[in-house]
Amino acid sequence: MAELTVRAAAPKPRVYAWVQDYGVYAAVLALLLFNVLFTPHFLDVANFRTQLVQVTPIVIVSLGMALVIGTQGIDLSVGSVMALSAALVVLYLGYGWVPALAVALAGGALAGLAGGALVAYIGVQPIVATLALLVGVRGLANVLVPQLVEFRSPGLIALGSSSVAGIPVIVLVAAALTVVMVFLVRRTTFGRQVVAIGGNRPASELSGLPVKRVLLIVYVISGLLAALAGVLATARLQASDPTSLGQFIELSAITAVVVGGTPLTGGRIRVVSTVMGALLMQLLAATLIKHNLPQSWTQMVQAVIILAAVYATRERR
């Protein structure tokens, strides 16, 4: 009788596991140290404030993207949803900035609902469904507001420019959303269901998990966060420009999620590391600019970091 031998998976080397868990933190610290030593005026408060304000929309969008990628999905429509929210908020400012904000968020939720329905109930591949929304939603935003529109709403402007104890409100919003997302992923049944579905969707369906409903909610959350990011960016600029707002931010968000250690194969969501991934890419771009290197260098370095992150987060067999 032939003997059946089962070979256990080899444990990951310690260095490899450490890079997976803490590599993005080490990279941020190394970049900070480099800037402290070699970049003039890096420690100025104004510089830190600028960096945080610029990265805030990417952080907010990346939080929703991390949920989607955790289910083995992708959401390419987030930039267009930002543009749609910018168009809606300026169209409804006549009713007050709070109702306008509510309409903009509702528009983002509906866009997410459409993408989630296509993925969960119709079975369209996430990349195809959200690519269609990327084109269609951007077109709708440009129809609603075909050119840049400035506004003078004190409430909305305050949302984008005011501070609490010297910290910009939009940064505090991003920090609060990060805390909420950490709690959602780590401490709630919904978060455990998202991770389980990303890890093994067929098994999740067989075990009775509400897979379709969870996927729908995940894409709605992504749409809501993208819409909020669009409103905050519009408030900071004091102008609505759906033509250019949010362009390519989906690539920045995916980069932040991957660099942060969330695998594209799903089944794992690293929220805080995603935020650190966004900060890393922002610091990298700012560092190269401050040292008079062209944008092309930034893009090439980012490409190398993305490839290294994908390699580090892959499952070693």
Side-chain angles (χ1 to χ4, degrees), residues 1-121:
M1 181 181 296
E3 182 180 355
L4 178 63
T5 302
V6 178
R7 179 178 298 177
K12 296 177 181 178
R14 289 185 178 180
V15 174
Y16 179 80
W18 188 90
V19 169
Q20 280 190 327
D21 293 334
Y22 305 109
V24 66
Y25 300 94
V28 170
L29 287 175
L31 198 54
L32 286 173
L33 180 61
F34 174 85
N35 281 286
V36 168
L37 295 175
F38 301 107
T39 303
H41 309 295
F42 178 77
L43 293 178
D44 292 353
V45 174
N47 177 62
F48 276 103
R49 181 187 178 95
T50 299
Q51 300 303 323
L52 290 175
V53 168
Q54 288 180 348
V55 81
T56 292
I58 299 175
V59 168
I60 294 175
V61 172
S62 298
L63 293 175
M65 187 68 74
L67 274 184
V68 175
I69 290 178
T71 65
Q72 285 193 39
I74 202 79
D75 189 354
L76 300 180
S77 67
V78 288
S80 297
V81 172
M82 285 183 65
L84 178 63
S85 69
L88 291 174
V89 75
V90 76
L91 285 177
Y92 285 88
L93 269 180
Y95 298 94
W97 75 272
V98 175
L101 172 63
V103 171
L105 295 180
L110 287 175
L113 184 68
L118 288 171
V119 172
Y121 290 94

